[in-house]
Amino acid sequence: MKKKALLLLMALSMAFSLAACGKKETPEAPEAGPETNTETEAGEENEPAEEAGEKVEIGKIVTVLPNVRGDGGTHDLACRASESIAESIGAELDIVELGTAVTDSAKWEAAMCDLCEAGYDLIITGGSLMKDTIQTVAPMYPEMPFICYDVSLDFDTADMANVYSMDFYQNEAAYMAGVIAANMTESNYIGFVGATKIPVIYDFMVGFIAGAQEVNPDIKVAVAFTNDFNDATLAKELALAQITDGADVLYPACGNAAAGVYEAARDKDVYAIGNDQDVAAKYAQSDETIQKIILASVMKKVDNAVASAYERYVAGELPFGSQETVGVAIDGAGVVKNEYYEELPDEVKDMVAEYEQKITDGTVKVPTALGMSPEEIDEIINSAQ
């Protein structure tokens, strides 16, 4: 397999503007594939780009990141899945890093147009920052299949019959963190440190509280917000205050600021649950004193979800033209199962498996903050005080 990592130079000439993007004829699309156990937000007429049973020839793949590699989160996981796919089929893989500083959407769109005309058979891309670029460029190249991760696209306003998009049930991942925290606390008091008060962060919080209360209805959950994704110092201060008040298991949903929560747990010898990445594995390489207090990690399993989407694509079963939300049921979100997780008591792991099954079969429906009113969110917070 030939693999290349490309650093895309953003000083692209505006000559590659959207006016220069060519438009291809739309191929006939067959009927949609069989139903899956995920929720689809598009209408009934969504169709995959390939007929079921028709062999898909893929020799060249490009994965486009609205970031750089090394984020330790969703984009690294997407790269991991892309590399695995390319290696398994002997395809060429290019990884294009758009970088972290560019905000000129016209340049991103021009770059994506350029890639659509570069002879690739599949584009894998994602992240909320890519939304406008995808919705602008994909309709111009209806024969180019896009598999998009961790982004919610608007299929009602853009004709994207060649695009499959997935986002994730972060509330289900947080629910599993709550199950673990409620099992491991000795004080019956756990803590949540969020970033800004936006729906996605509230979704983590709501899921965490629900999972903990499912195990123990009387558990107390401290809630604090940094109002910043990068202020690790403030996150540590908030976590230390929760620990002083009695919390002995902490769960952050505050981006890079979470490092402060893990440091506080280490300094005060209490536990933490990792979020967004395999935190125990990360600190095992850099700071074992923190790794030892990480009970487990929960995350959006972008690598699993991208790999699953690819398998459905080559089988002719991927519902192109639609948005799906994936979670515990297809191992698209949830607990990281590794050697660190295996150190948990068997009874805790058994309960994790029990609730994973309950979510999968629909016995448990994890509440979500998405669509909740401020009053409803306050009610959930107050229920755990």
Side-chain angles (χ1 to χ4, degrees), residues 149-218:
Y149 61 87
D150 201 24
V151 58
S152 181
L153 301 179
D154 189 349
F155 287 88
D156 292 330
T157 60
D159 183 6
M160 297 180 288
N162 55 323
V163 176
Y164 166 77
S165 180
M166 71 185 95
D167 54 4
F168 296 84
Y169 287 123
Q170 60 267 340
N171 58 322
E172 291 186 355
Y175 184 94
M176 300 312 303
V179 168
I180 294 172
N183 271 279
M184 295 299 294
T185 180
E186 295 181 357
S187 64
N188 199 35
Y189 187 9
I190 59 180
F192 173 85
V193 178
T196 54
K197 297 179 180 180
I198 57 176
V200 67
I201 299 300
Y202 278 134
D203 210 29
F204 280 108
M205 181 200 72
V206 166
F208 181 64
I209 292 175
Q213 290 180 328
E214 178 68 24
V215 174
N216 181 354
D218 298 323

Side-chain angles (χ1 to χ4, degrees), residues 37-41 168-176 179 203 206-214 325-329 354-370 372 380:
N37 56 0
T38 59
E39 292 188 4
T40 304
E41 296 179 3
F168 296 84
Y169 287 123
Q170 60 267 340
N171 58 322
E172 291 186 355
Y175 184 94
M176 300 312 303
V179 168
D203 210 29
V206 166
F208 181 64
I209 292 175
Q213 290 180 328
E214 178 68 24
T325 305
V326 299
V328 167
E354 175 187 346
Y355 280 99
E356 287 174 337
Q357 185 58 47
K358 286 182 176 181
I359 292 172
T360 299
D361 63 25
T363 304
V364 166
K365 181 68 173 178
V366 180
T368 175
L370 306 183
M372 278 189 178
I380 288 174

Side-chain angles (χ1 to χ4, degrees), residues 81-259:
S82 301
E83 289 169 339
S84 178
I85 291 166
E87 183 174 3
S88 69
I89 63 176
E92 179 179 343
L93 171 66
D94 291 342
I95 295 175
V96 174
E97 304 172 70
L98 295 180
T100 59
V102 176
T103 58
D104 189 335
S105 61
K107 290 182 178 180
W108 280 25
E109 290 164 6
M112 186 66 82
C113 284
D114 206 29
L115 292 170
C116 287
E117 296 176 357
Y120 292 104
D121 302 303
L122 174 66
I123 292 178
I124 298 172
T125 188
S128 60
L129 293 177
M130 287 297 294
K131 179 176 180 176
D132 290 342
T133 298
I134 296 166
Q135 293 188 167
T136 298
V137 176
M140 299 177 179
Y141 297 89
E143 292 182 349
M144 173 59 70
F146 283 73
I147 292 178
C148 303
Y149 61 87
D150 201 24
V151 58
S152 181
L153 301 179
D154 189 349
F155 287 88
D156 292 330
T157 60
D159 183 6
M160 297 180 288
N162 55 323
V163 176
Y164 166 77
S165 180
M166 71 185 95
D167 54 4
F168 296 84
Y169 287 123
Q170 60 267 340
N171 58 322
E172 291 186 355
Y175 184 94
M176 300 312 303
V179 168
I180 294 172
N183 271 279
M184 295 299 294
T185 180
E186 295 181 357
S187 64
N188 199 35
Y189 187 9
I190 59 180
F192 173 85
V193 178
T196 54
K197 297 179 180 180
I198 57 176
V200 67
I201 299 300
Y202 278 134
D203 210 29
F204 280 108
M205 181 200 72
V206 166
F208 181 64
I209 292 175
Q213 290 180 328
E214 178 68 24
V215 174
N216 181 354
D218 298 323
I219 198 166
K220 184 177 181 181
V221 184
V223 174
F225 295 91
T226 62
N227 295 313
D228 188 286
F229 282 90
N230 296 297
D231 193 341
T233 299
L234 176 57
K236 184 172 183 177
E237 291 175 1
L238 295 173
L240 287 171
Q242 292 180 346
I243 294 168
T244 299
D245 201 35
D248 60 357
V249 182
L250 306 181
Y251 174 61
C254 50
N256 293 332

